Amino acid sequence: MSGEPTEWEQRVIERAARREAVIVAGLAVAVGAFVAVFAVRHGFFDLKVYYGAVNYWIHDHGMLYDFLKPNSKYGFTYPPFAAIAMVPMAVVPWVLAILISIGLTLGATYALLRWLVLPVARREGWTPWFAIAVAFLLMLAFEPYRETLSFGQVNLLLLFLVALDVLVGVAGGRRWAGVGIGLATAIKLTPGVFIVYLLVTRRWRAALVASGTAAVATLAAAAVDPGASREFWTSALWDTDRVGSLAFVSNQSLQGLVARLDPEHPSSLAWAVLVIGVLGVWAWRVRSASLAEGLALTGVLGCLISPVTWVHHLVWLLPALFLLFDAGVRASGQRRRVLLGCAVVFYAVLCSRLVWAWEHGFGGVGGFLGSNAYVWISLALLIFLPLRSSVEDAAVAELRQRDAVAA
């Protein structure tokens, strides 16, 4: 029997392809209109800080952490190894730096979508290009993602490095597993929570590789510029004034929540208790989680326990949102409606700029609830994200690994 589709089957395929193309085109128009109306343009503010600091460091031979973006109080806040990774900015014009930033972010986005979306699309029989296109367009409307692009931020690139390690390196038993987490940690410290994840889940070799990579990168940076390293580890790292007010509504971490209760004297004890509590929940849940779920839960944890989690940092919630949607697709009946409803509501709130309604005041019960809306979503994802069965997880992991190898 011939494997070629019949004429009738071919027409069905063509109609389905046209329908998918129309849906993607319509969604693109809707997302474009939404972004045009609601998105805030930040003019690649953070990228300007990186670009100015690196050029000041390389060409003017200035102290890296002395640089401040003109007409602002903001300077370089990352470890010295991050500046080394950004040295190419010292030899390219500003416009090319913007294009490189956007290109790297889009490339990292495509890789993440292949790892997170394709296994679901294959299992459900969805057209791969259609699933990826829809997911990408929905990401463009997602406030943390569009803020990442507009600021020229690096967090999605760090998420890519970590996801590469977890979903490909650790999942495939690769000897290099841990390198991505180590490099991400040397660039921005906060991904170091994934080294703790590797330790808690007893992935000793990957944890050792990650720790060693971070240490080597940090020592290499110290060898290149001992003064900058000394300044960062003894002063700049502890200077919270360099990043702005902890109570600022964009800080959607537990520290931000506590600071908004009393901006003048935020309680360190209350913050410590909350951090210990979420660490306990995370450690309990992550030990029985799959690798994809470990990535998701640890990304959420990092957002919660970091002293500063600006809205654009919440791209780390993307794996958890994808897995929540996946859990809803796999469920049935009332559970399906609840999970998909939660996924839609969480996504809609994280697209809405809701917290900014309290940018200039967050007093009262309404202010407390609304100004911390993204914190509540992070807590809900950490506590209630469904964990799939080991059998289903093995099948999905195999698909993800196969796709990564083919790519």
Side-chain angles (χ1 to χ4, degrees):
M1 180 180 292
S2 172
E4 294 295 324
T6 65
E7 183 178 348
W8 179 81
E9 290 172 333
Q10 186 62 39
R11 285 200 299 269
V12 171
I13 293 172
E14 291 173 355
R15 281 198 298 269
R18 286 194 295 269
R19 184 169 58 250
E20 290 172 344
V22 169
I23 292 173
V24 169
L27 183 60
V29 171
V31 169
F34 175 81
V35 170
V37 173
F38 293 104
V40 176
R41 280 78 174 166
H42 297 290
F44 299 98
F45 185 96
D46 288 3
L47 187 64
K48 285 179 181 176
V49 173
Y50 309 153
Y51 187 85
V54 169
N55 277 275
Y56 177 73
W57 183 45
I58 297 297
H59 296 303
D60 298 337
H61 306 292
M63 169 60 73
L64 180 64
Y65 298 100
D66 286 344
F67 173 82
L68 293 178
K69 182 181 177 295
N71 304 313
S72 82
K73 62 178 182 179
Y74 295 102
F76 198 77
T77 59
Y78 297 166
F81 180 74
I84 293 175
M86 297 177 186
V87 160
M89 289 188 186
V91 296
V92 300
W94 169 240
V95 173
L96 183 55
I98 293 175
L99 294 176
I100 291 172
S101 172
I102 293 174
L104 289 175
T105 299
L106 293 178
T109 301
Y110 179 67
L112 288 166
L113 290 175
R114 288 184 66 88
W115 294 332
L116 293 170
V117 174
L118 276 188
V120 181
R122 285 172 172 159
R123 189 193 67 224
E124 298 296 326
W126 300 337
T127 306
W129 78 265
F130 175 71
I132 287 182
V134 169
F136 173 67
L137 290 171
L138 292 175
M139 281 179 64
L140 288 177
F142 187 63
E143 184 182 355
Y145 185 83
R146 65 179 192 256
E147 294 271 291
T148 290
L149 284 172
S150 183
F151 273 113
Q153 255 285 340
V154 300
N155 280 285
L156 199 82
L157 302 180
L158 302 181
L159 174 56
F160 162 76
L161 287 174
V162 171
L164 176 65
D165 254 356
V166 175
L167 300 180
V168 180
V170 176
R174 310 298 173 83
R175 296 178 64 85
W176 50 262
V179 170
I181 291 173
L183 290 174
T185 301
I187 290 171
K188 204 185 172 181
L189 296 185
T190 49
V193 69
F194 285 91
I195 298 179
V196 181
Y197 163 68
L198 295 174
L199 292 171
V200 168
T201 55
R202 300 184 178 184
R203 293 179 168 96
W204 308 118
R205 177 182 174 82
L208 181 62
V209 171
S211 301
T213 300
V216 168
T218 300
L219 291 173
V224 170
D225 191 336
S229 291
R230 183 167 52 252
E231 174 71 13
F232 176 78
W233 294 106
T234 62
S235 178
L237 174 61
W238 315 103
D239 184 4
T240 57
D241 290 336
R242 296 176 64 89
V243 297
S245 170
L246 293 174
F248 183 42
V249 74
S250 183
N251 185 13
Q252 291 293 304
S253 69
L254 293 174
Q255 176 73 291
L257 182 151
V258 170
R260 282 186 285 277
L261 289 173
D262 185 356
E264 296 299 323
H265 304 95
S267 171
S268 298
L269 176 60
W271 178 53
V273 169
L274 289 173
V275 167
I276 292 171
V278 298
L279 279 170
V281 173
W282 168 80
W284 170 63
R285 300 206 74 207
V286 84
R287 292 172 72 91
S288 59
S290 70
L291 284 169
E293 291 157 357
L295 170 69
L297 291 172
T298 308
V300 174
L301 175 74
C303 292
L304 287 168
I305 67 174
S306 174
V308 176
T309 298
W310 301 137
V311 168
H312 52 263
H313 296 162
L314 295 175
V315 292
W316 289 95
L317 299 185
L318 281 169
L321 290 173
F322 275 121
L323 292 185
L324 179 60
F325 171 77
D326 179 31
V329 170
R330 288 185 290 107
S332 59
Q334 181 67 19
R335 178 177 171 82
R336 177 187 179 92
R337 289 189 290 273
V338 169
L339 292 177
L340 289 179
C342 287
V344 170
V345 170
F346 290 174
Y347 169 77
V349 171
L350 286 163
C351 290
S352 68
R353 289 185 54 83
L354 175 65
V355 298
W356 296 99
W358 291 273
E359 180 178 4
H360 303 295
F362 30 76
V365 175
F368 177 69
L369 295 176
S371 67
N372 296 303
Y374 301 170
V375 181
W376 308 133
I377 290 175
S378 296
L379 286 169
L381 289 170
L382 179 69
I383 297 170
F384 299 114
L385 182 69
L387 304 184
R388 63 168 64 94
S389 73
S390 59
V391 173
E392 289 173 320
D393 179 61
V396 174
E398 181 182 354
L399 283 170
R400 185 178 293 109
Q401 184 180 343
R402 187 186 309 160
D403 176 67
V405 171

